[in-house]
Amino acid sequence: MKDGSGTIDLSPLAKKGGQPKFLDMPATGDTSKYSFNPCFSFKEGPANQECMQSSDIAVCQIQDDKYYDVGTQTSALFQNVGQGTEQKIVYKSSSSTKQSFVHLVCDPNISGGALAVIGETSSGSETYNFVLTSKYACLVTKSSGLSTGSILDIIFFVMLGTYFIAGVLYLRYKSGARGAESIPNYEFWMNLPSLTRDGCLFVAKGCKTEESYQRI
């Protein structure tokens, strides 16, 4: 997940290769078991079951030897991101009105991830709740600091401005210079375009000077 407030990246928690990170975990709010894998889909169950037939499973419900799709990877939607302490992901089933809510709890001390399976707390609601605790559930805020290049540009232009202002003041009030003469190193700046042109021509010619011979 990315938005203007920061980033949450659960991919380090996920398993690849069609296996779920959290497998057949019993719920505290119902009699089902659930499997869940963030970011990458998995398959589970017999060939004729939803969680095996679909190639987009994020959350699978196991009830009476049936494997139900209760959330797909492509339906994943982050909610409340950047608006408070609670962040959650909503997964919707592709075959029914069932949906799963994975509530995210940031804990910098838990790297592997801990999933609390609540399940369907209200019978027939077709809404399933989980709590995922991990350091990867933490919202990483976007840095607003300046890059090294920006800092160097600022320093350069500040020093350049200081050089001209201080030089003009010195030449005008200490040396009595007026007009163009009050510009520091005036002759150098006047010759700079031609010097730059000569340098470009020198490089274009392969850094070779023209040879000339004078008859004695």
PDB file of all heavy atoms in Angstrom, residues 129-150:
ATOM      1  N   ASN A 129     -13.198 -11.403  10.572  1.00  0.00           N
ATOM      2  CA  ASN A 129     -12.210 -10.473  11.117  1.00  0.00           C
ATOM      3  C   ASN A 129     -10.942 -11.191  11.575  1.00  0.00           C
ATOM      4  O   ASN A 129     -10.998 -12.292  12.139  1.00  0.00           O
ATOM      5  CB  ASN A 129     -12.808  -9.695  12.293  1.00  0.00           C
ATOM      6  CG  ASN A 129     -13.813  -8.658  11.837  1.00  0.00           C
ATOM      7  OD1 ASN A 129     -13.440  -7.558  11.453  1.00  0.00           O
ATOM      8  ND2 ASN A 129     -15.099  -9.011  11.885  1.00  0.00           N
ATOM      9  N   PHE A 130      -9.809 -10.505  11.341  1.00  0.00           N
ATOM     10  CA  PHE A 130      -8.495 -11.010  11.722  1.00  0.00           C
ATOM     11  C   PHE A 130      -7.665  -9.833  12.239  1.00  0.00           C
ATOM     12  O   PHE A 130      -7.898  -8.678  11.853  1.00  0.00           O
ATOM     13  CB  PHE A 130      -7.786 -11.651  10.522  1.00  0.00           C
ATOM     14  CG  PHE A 130      -8.617 -12.664   9.781  1.00  0.00           C
ATOM     15  CD1 PHE A 130      -9.551 -12.264   8.831  1.00  0.00           C
ATOM     16  CD2 PHE A 130      -8.477 -14.010  10.045  1.00  0.00           C
ATOM     17  CE1 PHE A 130     -10.326 -13.192   8.150  1.00  0.00           C
ATOM     18  CE2 PHE A 130      -9.239 -14.959   9.372  1.00  0.00           C
ATOM     19  CZ  PHE A 130     -10.171 -14.544   8.422  1.00  0.00           C
ATOM     20  N   VAL A 131      -6.687 -10.141  13.079  1.00  0.00           N
ATOM     21  CA  VAL A 131      -5.775  -9.104  13.578  1.00  0.00           C
ATOM     22  C   VAL A 131      -4.351  -9.565  13.288  1.00  0.00           C
ATOM     23  O   VAL A 131      -3.906 -10.590  13.823  1.00  0.00           O
ATOM     24  CB  VAL A 131      -5.967  -8.845  15.080  1.00  0.00           C
ATOM     25  CG1 VAL A 131      -4.969  -7.779  15.548  1.00  0.00           C
ATOM     26  CG2 VAL A 131      -7.393  -8.400  15.379  1.00  0.00           C
ATOM     27  N   LEU A 132      -3.660  -8.811  12.453  1.00  0.00           N
ATOM     28  CA  LEU A 132      -2.287  -9.129  12.086  1.00  0.00           C
ATOM     29  C   LEU A 132      -1.338  -8.156  12.782  1.00  0.00           C
ATOM     30  O   LEU A 132      -1.416  -6.943  12.565  1.00  0.00           O
ATOM     31  CB  LEU A 132      -2.103  -9.037  10.567  1.00  0.00           C
ATOM     32  CG  LEU A 132      -0.687  -9.276  10.029  1.00  0.00           C
ATOM     33  CD1 LEU A 132      -0.202 -10.683  10.364  1.00  0.00           C
ATOM     34  CD2 LEU A 132      -0.638  -9.034   8.524  1.00  0.00           C
ATOM     35  N   THR A 133      -0.436  -8.710  13.595  1.00  0.00           N
ATOM     36  CA  THR A 133       0.522  -7.887  14.334  1.00  0.00           C
ATOM     37  C   THR A 133       1.924  -8.154  13.810  1.00  0.00           C
ATOM     38  O   THR A 133       2.364  -9.302  13.744  1.00  0.00           O
ATOM     39  CB  THR A 133       0.466  -8.199  15.840  1.00  0.00           C
ATOM     40  OG1 THR A 133      -0.875  -8.021  16.316  1.00  0.00           O
ATOM     41  CG2 THR A 133       1.394  -7.285  16.622  1.00  0.00           C
ATOM     42  N   SER A 134       2.619  -7.092  13.429  1.00  0.00           N
ATOM     43  CA  SER A 134       3.961  -7.251  12.867  1.00  0.00           C
ATOM     44  C   SER A 134       4.628  -5.886  12.720  1.00  0.00           C
ATOM     45  O   SER A 134       3.958  -4.847  12.691  1.00  0.00           O
ATOM     46  CB  SER A 134       3.887  -7.925  11.496  1.00  0.00           C
ATOM     47  OG  SER A 134       5.146  -7.920  10.853  1.00  0.00           O
ATOM     48  N   LYS A 135       5.943  -5.900  12.595  1.00  0.00           N
ATOM     49  CA  LYS A 135       6.656  -4.657  12.299  1.00  0.00           C
ATOM     50  C   LYS A 135       6.384  -4.202  10.871  1.00  0.00           C
ATOM     51  O   LYS A 135       6.515  -3.027  10.544  1.00  0.00           O
ATOM     52  CB  LYS A 135       8.156  -4.821  12.518  1.00  0.00           C
ATOM     53  CG  LYS A 135       8.868  -5.710  11.515  1.00  0.00           C
ATOM     54  CD  LYS A 135      10.369  -5.732  11.768  1.00  0.00           C
ATOM     55  CE  LYS A 135      11.137  -6.525  10.712  1.00  0.00           C
ATOM     56  NZ  LYS A 135      12.602  -6.537  10.987  1.00  0.00           N
ATOM     57  N   TYR A 136       5.965  -5.154  10.022  1.00  0.00           N
ATOM     58  CA  TYR A 136       5.654  -4.801   8.640  1.00  0.00           C
ATOM     59  C   TYR A 136       4.276  -4.160   8.508  1.00  0.00           C
ATOM     60  O   TYR A 136       3.906  -3.691   7.427  1.00  0.00           O
ATOM     61  CB  TYR A 136       5.744  -6.036   7.751  1.00  0.00           C
ATOM     62  CG  TYR A 136       7.124  -6.638   7.726  1.00  0.00           C
ATOM     63  CD1 TYR A 136       7.386  -7.872   8.319  1.00  0.00           C
ATOM     64  CD2 TYR A 136       8.191  -5.954   7.143  1.00  0.00           C
ATOM     65  CE1 TYR A 136       8.656  -8.420   8.315  1.00  0.00           C
ATOM     66  CE2 TYR A 136       9.466  -6.497   7.134  1.00  0.00           C
ATOM     67  CZ  TYR A 136       9.690  -7.728   7.727  1.00  0.00           C
ATOM     68  OH  TYR A 136      10.959  -8.257   7.722  1.00  0.00           O
ATOM     69  N   ALA A 137       3.520  -4.156   9.600  1.00  0.00           N
ATOM     70  CA  ALA A 137       2.218  -3.485   9.611  1.00  0.00           C
ATOM     71  C   ALA A 137       2.341  -2.023  10.012  1.00  0.00           C
ATOM     72  O   ALA A 137       1.342  -1.310  10.093  1.00  0.00           O
ATOM     73  CB  ALA A 137       1.262  -4.210  10.563  1.00  0.00           C
ATOM     74  N   CYS A 138       3.564  -1.564  10.237  1.00  0.00           N
ATOM     75  CA  CYS A 138       3.797  -0.175  10.630  1.00  0.00           C
ATOM     76  C   CYS A 138       3.768   0.729   9.406  1.00  0.00           C
ATOM     77  O   CYS A 138       4.306   0.375   8.349  1.00  0.00           O
ATOM     78  CB  CYS A 138       5.134  -0.029  11.348  1.00  0.00           C
ATOM     79  SG  CYS A 138       5.262  -0.996  12.882  1.00  0.00           S
ATOM     80  N   LEU A 139       3.177   1.891   9.573  1.00  0.00           N
ATOM     81  CA  LEU A 139       3.122   2.873   8.503  1.00  0.00           C
ATOM     82  C   LEU A 139       4.447   3.621   8.449  1.00  0.00           C
ATOM     83  O   LEU A 139       4.851   4.258   9.415  1.00  0.00           O
ATOM     84  CB  LEU A 139       1.979   3.854   8.748  1.00  0.00           C
ATOM     85  CG  LEU A 139       1.747   4.928   7.687  1.00  0.00           C
ATOM     86  CD1 LEU A 139       1.263   4.294   6.388  1.00  0.00           C
ATOM     87  CD2 LEU A 139       0.741   5.957   8.172  1.00  0.00           C
ATOM     88  N   VAL A 140       5.139   3.491   7.331  1.00  0.00           N
ATOM     89  CA  VAL A 140       6.411   4.189   7.131  1.00  0.00           C
ATOM     90  C   VAL A 140       6.110   5.508   6.452  1.00  0.00           C
ATOM     91  O   VAL A 140       5.656   5.536   5.308  1.00  0.00           O
ATOM     92  CB  VAL A 140       7.379   3.346   6.267  1.00  0.00           C
ATOM     93  CG1 VAL A 140       8.693   4.101   6.073  1.00  0.00           C
ATOM     94  CG2 VAL A 140       7.620   1.997   6.920  1.00  0.00           C
ATOM     95  N   THR A 141       6.317   6.600   7.164  1.00  0.00           N
ATOM     96  CA  THR A 141       5.973   7.905   6.632  1.00  0.00           C
ATOM     97  C   THR A 141       6.966   8.340   5.573  1.00  0.00           C
ATOM     98  O   THR A 141       8.143   7.982   5.614  1.00  0.00           O
ATOM     99  CB  THR A 141       5.938   8.964   7.744  1.00  0.00           C
ATOM    100  OG1 THR A 141       7.203   8.980   8.424  1.00  0.00           O
ATOM    101  CG2 THR A 141       4.837   8.636   8.741  1.00  0.00           C
ATOM    102  N   LYS A 142       6.467   9.120   4.651  1.00  0.00           N
ATOM    103  CA  LYS A 142       7.283   9.610   3.539  1.00  0.00           C
ATOM    104  C   LYS A 142       8.224  10.693   4.025  1.00  0.00           C
ATOM    105  O   LYS A 142       7.819  11.630   4.709  1.00  0.00           O
ATOM    106  CB  LYS A 142       6.370  10.170   2.437  1.00  0.00           C
ATOM    107  CG  LYS A 142       7.109  10.622   1.196  1.00  0.00           C
ATOM    108  CD  LYS A 142       6.128  11.119   0.148  1.00  0.00           C
ATOM    109  CE  LYS A 142       6.833  11.581  -1.112  1.00  0.00           C
ATOM    110  NZ  LYS A 142       5.873  12.074  -2.128  1.00  0.00           N
ATOM    111  N   SER A 143       9.485  10.564   3.659  1.00  0.00           N
ATOM    112  CA  SER A 143      10.481  11.556   4.063  1.00  0.00           C
ATOM    113  C   SER A 143      10.321  12.832   3.258  1.00  0.00           C
ATOM    114  O   SER A 143      10.119  12.802   2.051  1.00  0.00           O
ATOM    115  CB  SER A 143      11.902  11.003   3.856  1.00  0.00           C
ATOM    116  OG  SER A 143      12.863  11.998   4.110  1.00  0.00           O
ATOM    117  N   SER A 144      10.394  13.972   3.967  1.00  0.00           N
ATOM    118  CA  SER A 144      10.273  15.267   3.298  1.00  0.00           C
ATOM    119  C   SER A 144      11.606  15.999   3.244  1.00  0.00           C
ATOM    120  O   SER A 144      11.669  17.184   2.941  1.00  0.00           O
ATOM    121  CB  SER A 144       9.243  16.139   4.039  1.00  0.00           C
ATOM    122  OG  SER A 144       9.637  16.332   5.383  1.00  0.00           O
ATOM    123  N   GLY A 145      12.701  15.295   3.584  1.00  0.00           N
ATOM    124  CA  GLY A 145      14.019  15.927   3.615  1.00  0.00           C
ATOM    125  C   GLY A 145      14.558  16.203   2.212  1.00  0.00           C
ATOM    126  O   GLY A 145      14.138  15.604   1.225  1.00  0.00           O
ATOM    127  N   LEU A 146      15.492  17.136   2.158  1.00  0.00           N
ATOM    128  CA  LEU A 146      16.120  17.484   0.885  1.00  0.00           C
ATOM    129  C   LEU A 146      17.169  16.448   0.511  1.00  0.00           C
ATOM    130  O   LEU A 146      17.838  15.894   1.375  1.00  0.00           O
ATOM    131  CB  LEU A 146      16.763  18.870   0.987  1.00  0.00           C
ATOM    132  CG  LEU A 146      15.823  20.056   1.212  1.00  0.00           C
ATOM    133  CD1 LEU A 146      16.638  21.320   1.439  1.00  0.00           C
ATOM    134  CD2 LEU A 146      14.890  20.240   0.025  1.00  0.00           C
ATOM    135  N   SER A 147      17.316  16.224  -0.778  1.00  0.00           N
ATOM    136  CA  SER A 147      18.341  15.308  -1.254  1.00  0.00           C
ATOM    137  C   SER A 147      19.708  15.980  -1.166  1.00  0.00           C
ATOM    138  O   SER A 147      19.815  17.207  -1.030  1.00  0.00           O
ATOM    139  CB  SER A 147      18.054  14.894  -2.693  1.00  0.00           C
ATOM    140  OG  SER A 147      18.174  16.016  -3.552  1.00  0.00           O
ATOM    141  N   THR A 148      20.773  15.171  -1.279  1.00  0.00           N
ATOM    142  CA  THR A 148      22.136  15.715  -1.235  1.00  0.00           C
ATOM    143  C   THR A 148      22.364  16.709  -2.366  1.00  0.00           C
ATOM    144  O   THR A 148      22.979  17.760  -2.180  1.00  0.00           O
ATOM    145  CB  THR A 148      23.157  14.570  -1.334  1.00  0.00           C
ATOM    146  OG1 THR A 148      22.943  13.651  -0.265  1.00  0.00           O
ATOM    147  CG2 THR A 148      24.580  15.109  -1.246  1.00  0.00           C
ATOM    148  N   GLY A 149      21.852  16.391  -3.552  1.00  0.00           N
ATOM    149  CA  GLY A 149      22.003  17.288  -4.688  1.00  0.00           C
ATOM    150  C   GLY A 149      21.342  18.637  -4.455  1.00  0.00           C
ATOM    151  O   GLY A 149      21.897  19.685  -4.805  1.00  0.00           O
ATOM    152  N   SER A 150      20.136  18.617  -3.851  1.00  0.00           N
ATOM    153  CA  SER A 150      19.426  19.869  -3.568  1.00  0.00           C
ATOM    154  C   SER A 150      20.195  20.723  -2.576  1.00  0.00           C
ATOM    155  O   SER A 150      20.287  21.948  -2.715  1.00  0.00           O
ATOM    156  CB  SER A 150      18.025  19.560  -3.033  1.00  0.00           C
ATOM    157  OG  SER A 150      17.267  18.855  -3.977  1.00  0.00           O
TER     158      SER A 150
END
